[in-house]
Amino acid sequence: MLPPVLRKKTPYAPPAMRLPFRPTVAVANADAVLPRGGAGFGAATPPDARMVKTGFDPAAYRLNLHLQSLISSGRLAQARVLFDQMPHTKNAFSLNRMLSGYSRSGQLAAAHQLFLSSPPRLREAVTWTIMMAAFAAAPGRAADALALFRDMLREGVALDRVTVSTVLNVPASGTVTASLHPFAVKLGLLRSSVVVCNTLLDAYCKHGLLAAGMRVFQEMPHRDSVTYNAMMMGCSKEGLHREALGLFTDMRRAGLDASQFTFSSMLTVATGMGDLHLGRQVHGLVARATSAHNVFVNNSLLDFYSKCDCLAEMEKLFDEMPERDNVSYNVMISGYAWNRCASRALRLFREMQILCFDRQALPYASLLSVAGSLPHIGIGKQIHAQLVLLGLSSEDLVGNALIDMYSKCGMLDAAKTNFLNKNDKTGVSWTAMITGYVQNGQLEEALRLFCDMRRAGLSPDRATFSSIIKASSSLAMIGLGRQLHSYTIRSGHISSVFSGSALLDMYAKCGCLGEALQTFDEMPERNSISWNAVISAYAHYGQAKNAIKMFEGMLHYGFKPDSVTFLSVLSACSHNGLAEECMKYFELMEHEYGISPWKGHYACVVDTLGRVGRFDKVQKMLSDMPFEDDPIIWSSILHSCRIHGNQDLARVAAEKLFSMGSTDATPYVILSNIYAKAGKWEDAARVKKTMRNRGLRKESGYSWVEVKQKIYSFSSNDQTNPMISEMKEELERLYKEMDKQGYKPDTSCALHQVDDDLKLESLKYHSERLAIAFALINTPPGTPIRVMKNLSACLDCHAAIKMMSKIVNRDIIVRDSSRFHHFKDGVCSCGDYW
């Protein structure tokens, strides 16, 4: 109801004069819209908010009302004609309505042109704010929004809380956010407007400036649920899950109701902590709240159960959801893709097609992930064909997924073609291609592409570092690995648990256990991958007790072991002959944690039992194993037979391997050596003849060493190396010293029907010995020597290198096909058990 004063001044209009105003579709001029002299509708209509905004000008009021009607019905061209024909009656209200109409319809250029051409007297704070919001919402126009804000300040237009909130919501850097903070303080908005405080807090958190966000949070006189939600999401985004959980508790104590965003934040926290119990508690709160039927919250629950590998609960929730949208199906399909449930993912995808979801919005990237994880190139190509038909193959998300899929299917040429065809290559695109090269063993190409990425001006992220560090560890290039470590620190990714875990693994695989352990100790945050990496490092160095100690530490800190964890623990037991401990952890895995053993787990147990000669238990494990005959397991048995000279079981194991059609010559070589060691030369010759008849050849042994950031490779008795004379001289010098200390060559390692002199000569120049001699010549005294070898070291080389380490007073680390040997002062870390 209007104030009494206004009601008294309003003249009475007869009923015939109070007809509703029906605006015309088009007007020739402004005068045609209204009766002349101000009579008629304008004189009879009581003033409302829009009339107040026009200064009680009836003509301007009616034109604005007509303008708004045209804009609301989408007739922008006719609205613009009317606007242009309002030379004397247009005002800020008219301009703002026109700009809003253009902005909502996506005609940003027309809105900007109108804004620039309008007289300054019409541009008030609301006008500037409308234009800034339009630029902020348009992709890639954030800089224009900020430029407009600077122009507004230069023209002296007074800011209000809506303007400040709008500018804070512009996608920009944290520096911009910090520069806007003083404006909010100067205007007193941080004391009077919780909306501005929430917007400032949210902007800080989105840019990772959590300390600044926390200061705003602590200084706020009043807080609402939005405040807590923004702070919780900021903490969970930075991995501070316990802090986010504390904020949720404070929010509940303050009596504030949880919203859908609160539940979503808490589920993100539960996922980050890997806390299934917490997630289920949040689910219980959701069920009791009004959000129980909210599709947004239910999608967050689906995502939580998916990432916790709780497929049964994920499926139950999905079936019970009263409403599902595109996101619901996408989360389900992504969950199935992650857990390699290809058939279920494909079934849901077909269901989406039957339900007529928008084909442009179907989860093609998740389906490509399914095709890559199988791997199934047929499915991948079918999806690629659909993407081409829909014109989506050039989109960033699916384009990256195509690179990943083709890489995982081993089709690097197709992956490279998709990469090169991308017009706008993002950091994710480069990372996908680099990872593809690493996965397919093209490590030098991965390193080259990483250099190209840096030259292109793109900053690597934590995923890029993880992949390229893996390339360094596979090449065992410690120099490159240290450079990448330094670069990771400079780029600010060293605190990432993924980068830290990758560095730990790299140092371990390059023979730097001390630096690997230091990396683990210095990690600000650890996850199960970090613990698995350090347990695996100890296992490969034959330090089973330390591996088990780390396993117990992992449990103590609340991390749940997985299949990879137990594989490392069992491997550690295998390398040290800890049969009882091996059986204990094998049973613990299955009965305590409900983890079904892989073939790899059985192989470790069989290898452990075989190494200590418990062939009766080996037979029982084989009968209990729920898998078909596996070459890895029978190879382990064959190696155990070699250690204990069990010719009968060795023959059985070899025949099993021969029947599997393996192209690996190792079983033939081992069986032949077992016969030769027993003096059964005819049987040994027969096995070798069979091997030759089948076109198989023993893999050549070679070793490599890194000197001054270059890799040098050597084969046994290599005469092509330009420094072969110097290396032989160095070895002869060492052999003289070794003879003085009682070294006796083990000629059984040269199992050939030749005289002893030739046997001794063949042992002298094995590839790892040449690599050590080269490193001794080309590196300063006292420098550790790290040698990598593609096969297992023979007994004589193991004994020789022990003595060499003592004579030259150097640490010599040799990585063979199964583990590390750290030689120091005449002793090996393996305890002569490998």
Side-chain angles (χ1 to χ4, degrees), residues 193-239:
S193 174
V194 71
V195 174
V196 173
C197 287
N198 288 342
T199 308
L200 179 63
L201 169 62
D202 185 57
Y204 275 132
C205 290
K206 283 179 178 174
H207 295 303
L209 301 172
L210 205 59
M214 183 58 77
R215 282 198 300 273
V216 174
F217 176 83
Q218 292 170 343
E219 293 170 2
M220 286 176 67
H222 305 290
R223 300 170 188 152
D224 57 13
S225 60
V226 177
T227 315
Y228 280 95
N229 289 342
M231 201 67 231
M232 282 189 289
M233 187 55 76
C235 287
S236 62
K237 182 182 175 184
E238 294 300 314

Side-chain angles (χ1 to χ4, degrees), residues 139 266 278 438 636 696:
M266 289 314 300
L278 174 61
V438 174
S636 295
L696 303 177

Side-chain angles (χ1 to χ4, degrees), residues 118 192 259 322 543 618:
S118 61
S192 61
S259 67
Q543 298 186 25
V618 168

Side-chain angles (χ1 to χ4, degrees), residues 312-379:
E313 287 169 279
M314 180 182 77
E315 290 170 337
K316 184 175 183 294
L317 174 63
F318 182 76
D319 292 338
E320 293 173 353
M321 284 173 63
E323 180 187 355
R324 301 170 189 159
D325 60 9
N326 186 59
V327 177
S328 313
Y329 279 89
N330 282 351
V331 171
M332 288 293 293
I333 290 172
S334 297
Y336 284 141
W338 177 257
N339 288 279
R340 299 190 176 186
C341 300
S343 59
R344 287 187 248 184
L346 292 169
R347 175 179 56 78
L348 274 187
F349 182 73
R350 294 190 190 98
E351 187 176 314
M352 290 186 76
Q353 292 176 311
I354 293 168
L355 292 173
C356 297
F357 277 95
D358 181 8
R359 292 184 69 193
Q360 301 274 339
L362 293 178
Y364 294 107
S366 296
L367 263 293
L368 287 168
S369 178
V370 170
S373 64
L374 286 172
H376 195 300
I377 190 60
I379 294 174

Side-chain angles (χ1 to χ4, degrees), residues 197-459:
C197 287
N198 288 342
T199 308
L200 179 63
L201 169 62
D202 185 57
Y204 275 132
C205 290
K206 283 179 178 174
H207 295 303
L209 301 172
L210 205 59
M214 183 58 77
R215 282 198 300 273
V216 174
F217 176 83
Q218 292 170 343
E219 293 170 2
M220 286 176 67
H222 305 290
R223 300 170 188 152
D224 57 13
S225 60
V226 177
T227 315
Y228 280 95
N229 289 342
M231 201 67 231
M232 282 189 289
M233 187 55 76
C235 287
S236 62
K237 182 182 175 184
E238 294 300 314
L240 301 174
H241 304 303
R242 297 195 183 279
E243 288 79 354
L245 187 57
L247 286 166
F248 177 70
T249 304
D250 294 342
M251 177 183 174
R252 300 281 288 177
R253 288 196 187 117
L256 296 171
D257 292 330
S259 67
Q260 57 181 357
F261 301 106
T262 313
F263 292 129
S264 178
S265 296
M266 289 314 300
L267 288 167
T268 302
V269 169
T271 304
M273 295 174 69
D275 193 333
L276 186 58
H277 179 65
L278 174 61
R280 285 172 175 156
Q281 286 184 311
V282 176
H283 193 170
L285 291 174
V286 171
R288 292 194 294 272
T290 55
S291 302
H293 300 298
N294 184 291
V295 69
F296 173 78
V297 175
N298 282 331
N299 288 341
S300 297
L301 280 166
L302 282 177
D303 185 60
F304 164 73
Y305 285 126
S306 165
K307 289 176 179 174
C308 288
D309 297 332
C310 297
L311 294 188
E313 287 169 279
M314 180 182 77
E315 290 170 337
K316 184 175 183 294
L317 174 63
F318 182 76
D319 292 338
E320 293 173 353
M321 284 173 63
E323 180 187 355
R324 301 170 189 159
D325 60 9
N326 186 59
V327 177
S328 313
Y329 279 89
N330 282 351
V331 171
M332 288 293 293
I333 290 172
S334 297
Y336 284 141
W338 177 257
N339 288 279
R340 299 190 176 186
C341 300
S343 59
R344 287 187 248 184
L346 292 169
R347 175 179 56 78
L348 274 187
F349 182 73
R350 294 190 190 98
E351 187 176 314
M352 290 186 76
Q353 292 176 311
I354 293 168
L355 292 173
C356 297
F357 277 95
D358 181 8
R359 292 184 69 193
Q360 301 274 339
L362 293 178
Y364 294 107
S366 296
L367 263 293
L368 287 168
S369 178
V370 170
S373 64
L374 286 172
H376 195 300
I377 190 60
I379 294 174
K381 285 185 173 180
Q382 287 181 44
I383 298 167
H384 192 176
Q386 286 195 40
L387 290 169
V388 172
L389 288 173
L390 293 169
L392 299 174
S393 59
S394 60
E395 287 195 359
D396 188 53
L397 180 64
V398 294
N400 296 335
L402 283 168
I403 296 169
D404 179 66
M405 182 274 295
Y406 280 119
S407 297
K408 287 178 177 174
C409 290
M411 298 184 65
L412 274 182
D413 288 341
K416 187 176 179 181
T417 300
N418 279 274
F419 174 74
L420 294 175
N421 287 342
K422 281 180 67 69
N423 294 324
D424 297 316
K425 298 180 183 69
T426 63
V428 178
S429 313
W430 287 87
T431 301
M433 195 66 240
I434 290 169
T435 304
Y437 280 129
V438 174
Q439 289 169 344
N440 286 274
Q442 297 195 20
L443 307 174
E444 292 83 359
E445 281 297 308
L447 293 171
R448 183 192 58 77
L449 198 63
F450 177 72
C451 295
D452 291 344
M453 178 183 182
R454 291 181 61 192
R455 279 193 287 268
L458 278 86
S459 298

Side-chain angles (χ1 to χ4, degrees), residues 658-765:
F658 299 161
S659 66
M660 292 176 189
S662 173
T663 57
D664 184 10
T666 304
Y668 297 88
V669 175
I670 293 175
L671 184 59
S672 173
N673 289 348
I674 290 173
Y675 285 140
K677 190 173 183 180
K680 296 184 178 181
W681 297 106
E682 291 183 3
D683 290 335
R686 177 177 51 79
V687 173
K688 285 190 174 183
K689 183 179 179 183
T690 304
M691 182 179 76
R692 287 194 298 271
N693 291 340
R694 294 180 180 180
L696 303 177
R697 295 184 62 186
K698 179 183 175 182
E699 183 180 0
S700 299
Y702 63 92
S703 302
W704 65 98
V705 64
E706 180 183 356
V707 175
K708 297 176 183 177
Q709 297 187 16
K710 282 188 177 182
I711 298 293
Y712 297 88
S713 298
F714 306 89
S715 59
S716 293
N717 203 20
D718 187 354
Q719 299 297 321
T720 61
N721 192 288
M723 291 186 66
I724 189 63
S725 299
E726 293 92 328
M727 288 187 284
K728 284 188 174 183
E729 285 178 14
E730 181 67 18
L731 286 174
E732 289 299 332
R733 183 184 69 78
L734 287 172
Y735 291 146
K736 288 179 182 178
E737 289 295 323
M738 289 160 62
D739 287 339
K740 293 176 184 177
Q741 297 187 23
Y743 166 67
K744 299 294 181 183
D746 185 354
T747 55
S748 67
C749 296
L751 298 173
H752 304 287
Q753 290 178 309
V754 294
D755 59 46
D756 289 341
D757 290 339
L758 289 176
K759 285 182 180 182
L760 290 173
E761 191 68 20
S762 68
L763 287 174
K764 278 184 175 182
Y765 306 120

